[in-house]
Amino acid sequence: MKKSINKAHVRLGVLLLTVIVTLCLIPLENLFAEGKVNRRVQWEQLKTLPIQQGGRVMPLDSFSRILLLQLSAKSSLKVDSEKLSAVEWLAEALFDEAKAVQRPIFLIENPEIMEALQLPYKKARDRYTYEKLEPKINAIRRYAATAEQIKPEKRSLIQNQMLQLYNNLMRFEALIHTFSFWKNRSDLRFEGVQLNIKPGTNLSIADYIFLLYQRLGQIEQGASHERGEEVKINQCLKSLHETTVKSLYNGLFAIFHSGEKDKHHGWKYPWFVFYDLISENDPRHKQLSLFANIYRSYQEKNWEEVNKNLVKTHDTFVSMAKEKGEYRSIELEVKYNKYDLFYWSLILYVFATVFCCVSWLQSKNSKFFYMSALVCVVLAFSGHTIGMLLRMIIKARPPVSTLYESILFVSWVGVSMSFFLEYYAKKSKSLGLFVASLCGNILLFVANKYATEGDNFAVLVAVLDSNFWLATHVTTVTIGYSACLVAGLLGHAFIFLHLFSPGVIERYRKELTRMIYGSLCFAATVSFLGTILGGIWADQSWGRFWGWDPKENGAFLIVLWCIILLHARLGGYIREWGMALGCVFGNIIVAAAWWGVNLLSIGLHNYGFTSGLFGKLVIFTVVELAVILFGGILAYRHKTLKKKVAS
Amino acid sequence: MKKTLSQKLLDFGASHGLTVVALLFLMILTIVGTIDQKYIGLYQAQKKYFDSAVAHIQIFETSTHSFYLPVPGGFTVMSVLFVNLILAFVLKFKFRWRSFGLWVSHLGFMLLLVGSFITFQYSQDGHVSIFEKEQASSFTSYHDNEMLVKSDGQDYEDIAVIPQSFLTQKKLFASPDFDIQIKIIDYYKNSDAKLRNLLTPDITQVVHLDEIDMEIEHEKNQQGVLIEVLNYKGEKVGDFSVFLNNPLEFNYRGKSYTILLRRLHMGMPFTVRLEKFVRETYPGTETPKRFESTVTVLEEGQEREVVISMNKPLRHKGFTLFQSAFATTENGQYQSTLAVVRNPAEAWPYFSCLFIFLGMVIHFIPKLFRFVKRRNKENG
């Protein structure tokens, strides 16, 4: 009988493991599939094309992902069961406007928006094409303009979303206009100028400009003496410039560079280069003509030629970037994008949590599930570590320099700490592992939500641009957050432990208490160190050690709370229960210090301001307070129970 | 054995209970003081909650009344902690090697409190704003004011400076050098003035001065003073309004007087001249990458050039100059603002925090080893 149960468990375990392994393999299979799907044009070539946007040089792959995430909250696109990667979508928008406007990419979360625009909709949170939204663009602009006049904190949800939708539409328009000087248009007609065009043919702006200048040349050479026409031609050129000036200043990303050391470090937007080239003989002429070749061969539907040109363009630009030393981490970044390590770590952490729970439900033969959980956590942790290392190499920065990275790092430290506890715990095995998996999955889940909000490799403002202080102060403060959160999670474990039978309670309680105390001491020390390092940084940068700035106060609150708990324990005011409940309260303090102070929108640490956070923080606080209340009731019951037993 | 009242009091003063209560108050102050910064700004929140003896926390507000809960302010709480610590040292702490770390960190904490008191009491801060090729040997306070009184006779000039405390306490200014006395009627922390466009150059007059609500950014507050000028006999000469940075000028008995309310000027033992200001942004963005002021320090006939940039201040003779802000004029000329700080207890936090941290490490590390050892023993 016993054996059969064992076998059943083993089978169940094997089944679960197989599920995980297959799930892990899916992305790999997908990665191969991306190449296998028969596509006539190999846009993927452009993934490692270096471009410049938002103050940094990045691969086109990253840019396309960021843009697509902003528009549709996804980093790829599904078209008739075929997956279109971000870079394929972007390239299509650059070279094939007609197709691009039919892609459903504009995420509209709220059907009220569609109602306001008097457009039909099927469900909430749906994606729409540019073609569908384009007729309503004036209405959207009006709504957005009204919303813009209201202060950000007073805007309604709909107003915010309308504004976002408008911005997204404008971004998309700018995108499809990147190379639109080559696009054949029917709306351009020039009266009073003798151009050698067959009636009915559509020409591009580039063609017209070429023809107009050619004609100007003819007039000047005296082939004909029509002064009136010369004035006309200049007027035409001027009006052409005026109709396209919007594209000129709306460039989304810069590809070309002149090698000059100007404000943009020589990086130029396509339209600028296009206009520059009319008058000058410029080295960028060759760069632009590479893209022109792609464009032309694409219009001619000569796919082989397109692919050839793609390779040539890519190689030229890559070698140019290499010469300038700007290709350093481009390929690495593309790899980083491709493997999406944090996502898979998150999934593995979730499995580890499940396995831990399952292992507790088994009375004795839980070794297998325990081992599975351990393997999952170790795998997830490796992915997590590699991901962070890649980020550090790509950015050439210490692990934390943005809010997004702080989540990754807090999670990472939390998992490491729990590993340590797991290793040195003797009676309460699997508890540390459970806390590790929770640290991993809760925080990486939050980070995952955060990753969609834009370029998370963004450059740093001058005051934060110091690798030394980022490495010391920011890192220690975030380790302090981790330590506090681990103590808080252990506090939760302590509370919920008391739902089990007295035997279980006895087995875990003492060691758990020691773990809580240890984590708290560590939290106090590291948070204190982090806070004073911040003070020293402030003293070095602004001349005052302490200025009661919100973020400083946040870090200070964590230290204070740890010190209060330690002194209260020393004075005998709180014991095991008090420490556990206190540590749970510590979680609220950490949340307030980490996220809450950003809501105040003031102070010197003005990075990572974020909206819609208030509600989530309130929910978190209420839940934690409920846990504390629940713990309080449990503590009371256990005390009275003990008294009864004693008497 | 029964304890006397004084013994009980001393015990209470040295107790952990007092520590915990004081720290809890500090925590409440910090939370409220942080949130309130959104509404009253950092400077005022600091004054109200952290530098004060008593802080009034607003509980709720009706249309006519606000209800406040008075709690001990930051100054009081920290003083209590200091006394608590001293009493604990005297009455409770017994030196053992095991508690060596605790000694070190608590001594460090006492140093920290003393250091912050010195900073609070004696430090000066302000700024120097200079254009390229311009120089300065004094700096201006961000917040504090002074009043300048000047009288021009036929061949002499008298100047007196009235400090801000004098103004806020509404005292009477009298000096043997002057034929007039000035009585401070009212001091507005923020005011709005209607100024007359003057046709006659010798008289400046504020037409009307109103007290208005304070700004969140304290630097934007424009103070105003209502004064009554008396002659040396104590007879009234006239009522005037003085508005920040607008000199009041009038004639009395053949002498012209100027009264000016301005930001407090403080001297530096050297002169700085701005040679060049550089501002760099990330390519294609307005995100600042680097600010840098190249200045020449002039003293006693000697010159030397120094580069001040973000995170790289100039420290000289107890003064520290930091790159703080910049402005551009219409013709593209840069004005650089350097923050100036003079703090006699500048180094104190470094030492005291090092003590506290080392103490904690000394105290906690053995505990960690015990935890690890216990496991090894029971496993082996």
Side-chain angles (χ1 to χ4, degrees), chain A residues 52 54-56 263-265 267 269 397 420-421 423-427 429 459-466 469 511 514-515 517 521 524-525 528-529 532 536-550 553 556-557 560-561 563-564 566-571 573 585 589 597 599-602, chain B residues 15-20 23-24 26-28 30-31 33-38 42 46 50-51 78 102 106 112 216 280-291 310-313 315 320 322-323 339 341 343 346 349-350 352-354 356-357 360-361 363-364 367-368 371-376 378-379:
Chain A
Q52 196 274 120
R56 74 181 187 98
K263 191 182 160 201
H264 301 278
H265 290 221
W267 284 92
Y269 295 87
R397 293 253 179 228
F420 176 84
L421 290 176
Y423 182 73
Y424 285 109
K426 51 183 186 353
K427 283 181 184 155
K429 278 290 176 205
V459 293
L460 287 175
V461 293
V463 69
L464 295 177
D465 187 8
S466 156
W469 291 112
E511 197 165 60
R514 268 209 300 274
M515 283 183 184
Y517 175 68
C521 292
T525 314
F528 179 75
L529 179 68
I532 57 166
I536 295 173
W537 188 4
D539 190 46
Q540 300 285 325
S541 308
W542 304 305
R544 88 276 186 293
F545 191 83
W546 194 256
W548 302 103
D549 169 85
N553 291 352
F556 179 55
L557 277 177
L560 257 184
W561 184 242
I563 299 288
I564 288 174
L566 289 178
H567 281 87
R569 178 180 171 274
L570 219 57
Y573 303 103
F585 188 74
I589 306 241
V597 290
L599 291 173
L600 295 171
S601 298
I602 39 168
Chain B
S15 67
H16 278 114
L18 187 61
T19 318
V20 171
L23 288 173
L24 277 173
L26 190 55
M27 198 164 146
I28 293 168
T30 312
I31 293 171
T34 309
I35 295 170
D36 214 15
Q37 287 186 20
K38 192 175 169 71
L42 198 148
Q46 196 173 332
F50 304 118
D51 295 350
M78 284 187 243
L102 290 182
H106 283 87
L112 186 69
I216 285 178
E280 211 179 281
T281 55
Y282 285 99
T285 65
E286 285 301 308
T287 312
K289 192 178 182 204
R290 198 167 61 99
F291 305 123
M310 211 59 111
N311 297 335
K312 197 173 148 280
R315 291 174 195 274
T320 316
F322 307 85
Q323 183 66 58
V341 181
N343 182 3
E346 196 187 343
Y350 288 72
S352 46
C353 286
L354 186 70
I356 299 175
F357 176 66
M360 283 167 113
V361 170
H363 188 69
F364 288 135
K367 292 193 178 213
L368 181 70
F371 177 75
V372 171
K373 230 192 217 160
R374 194 181 292 136
R375 183 254 185 196
N376 288 343
E378 286 176 34
N379 275 15

Side-chain angles (χ1 to χ4, degrees), chain B residues 23-185:
Chain B
L23 288 173
L24 277 173
F25 268 116
L26 190 55
M27 198 164 146
I28 293 168
L29 279 177
T30 312
I31 293 171
V32 179
T34 309
I35 295 170
D36 214 15
Q37 287 186 20
K38 192 175 169 71
Y39 306 101
I40 62 172
L42 198 148
Y43 180 80
Q44 287 177 65
Q46 196 173 332
K47 287 256 152 169
K48 185 173 168 187
Y49 297 102
F50 304 118
D51 295 350
S52 58
V54 182
H56 297 273
I57 298 177
Q58 190 178 332
I59 303 295
F60 63 91
E61 193 181 30
T62 63
S63 53
T64 49
H65 293 283
S66 300
F67 293 89
Y68 294 99
L69 179 73
V71 295
F75 191 84
T76 313
V77 170
M78 284 187 243
S79 310
V80 167
L81 277 174
F82 187 68
V83 172
N84 176 235
L85 203 53
I86 288 189
L87 286 177
F89 258 106
V90 175
L91 301 175
K92 276 177 39 188
F93 278 26
K94 290 190 191 77
F95 186 82
R96 285 195 206 93
W97 280 110
R98 217 181 60 187
S99 58
F100 178 66
L102 290 182
W103 273 80
V104 173
S105 61
H106 283 87
L107 271 173
F109 183 61
M110 271 163 75
L111 277 180
L112 186 69
L113 285 176
V114 174
S116 36
F117 178 75
I118 296 175
T119 305
F120 171 65
Q121 219 49 352
Y122 299 107
S123 72
Q124 296 175 323
D125 67 329
H127 66 97
V128 179
S129 297
I130 34 179
F131 284 101
E132 286 174 336
K133 303 294 164 214
E134 210 176 55
Q135 62 183 43
S137 56
S138 69
F139 62 105
T140 316
S141 167
Y142 284 112
H143 311 289
D144 295 333
N145 294 324
E146 60 186 359
M147 194 186 250
L148 227 61
V149 186
K150 204 163 86 175
S151 80
D152 292 320
Q154 306 233 297
D155 43 34
Y156 60 91
E157 189 180 75
D158 282 314
I159 294 184
V161 177
I162 307 178
Q164 177 165 298
S165 58
F166 206 95
L167 302 175
T168 51
Q169 287 161 17
K170 294 170 195 169
K171 287 188 182 165
L172 177 75
F173 167 81
S175 154
D177 294 339
F178 290 93
D179 294 341
I180 56 161
Q181 303 177 18
I182 298 170
K183 197 172 165 188
I184 312 296
I185 306 293

Side-chain angles (χ1 to χ4, degrees), chain A residues 356 360 370 374 377 414-425 428-439 486 489-490 493 508 511-512 515:
Chain A
C356 269
W360 293 336
Y370 174 75
L374 187 66
V377 171
V415 177
S416 333
M417 264 184 75
S418 315
F419 262 141
F420 176 84
L421 290 176
E422 177 71 9
Y423 182 73
Y424 285 109
S428 40
K429 278 290 176 205
S430 82
L431 200 66
L433 204 59
F434 183 64
V435 171
S437 66
L438 277 186
C439 264
V486 168
L489 281 174
L490 290 169
Y508 285 105
E511 197 165 60
L512 193 51
M515 283 183 184

Side-chain angles (χ1 to χ4, degrees), chain A residues 403 450 453 595 597-611 613:
Chain A
L403 197 55
Y450 224 76
E453 290 195 0
W595 303 86
V597 290
N598 291 345
L599 291 173
L600 295 171
S601 298
I602 39 168
L604 297 156
H605 301 70
N606 55 349
Y607 54 86
F609 290 115
T610 167
S611 54
L613 188 68

Side-chain angles (χ1 to χ4, degrees), chain B residues 203-312:
Chain B
I203 298 175
T204 307
Q205 203 164 5
V206 178
V207 176
H208 190 69
L209 196 64
D210 274 322
E211 185 164 21
I212 55 173
D213 286 341
M214 286 176 75
E215 297 280 336
I216 285 178
E217 283 169 72
H218 194 263
E219 294 95 292
K220 286 189 182 160
N221 286 320
Q222 299 201 292
Q223 288 75 14
V225 188
L226 297 186
I227 56 170
E228 187 183 322
V229 176
L230 312 164
N231 64 11
Y232 64 99
K233 285 184 206 152
E235 291 159 352
K236 186 168 176 173
V237 175
D239 289 323
F240 297 99
S241 304
V242 187
F243 185 54
L244 187 69
N245 292 333
N246 276 276
L248 164 76
E249 288 171 13
F250 61 90
N251 292 316
Y252 180 67
R253 296 214 172 143
K255 278 185 193 167
S256 71
Y257 291 91
T258 309
I259 298 178
L260 171 65
L261 181 70
R262 66 173 193 191
R263 292 278 187 246
L264 180 66
H265 280 47
M266 292 164 280
M268 289 188 293
F270 52 90
T271 304
V272 287
R273 182 173 66 219
L274 180 66
E275 302 297 346
K276 211 174 91 185
F277 177 79
V278 180
R279 173 189 178 226
E280 211 179 281
T281 55
Y282 285 99
T285 65
E286 285 301 308
T287 312
K289 192 178 182 204
R290 198 167 61 99
F291 305 123
E292 199 176 275
S293 294
T294 309
V295 299
T296 304
V297 178
L298 303 116
E299 58 181 330
E300 293 151 8
Q302 290 189 324
E303 290 191 5
R304 74 186 166 106
E305 213 173 78
V306 190
V307 177
I308 301 173
S309 65
M310 211 59 111
N311 297 335
K312 197 173 148 280

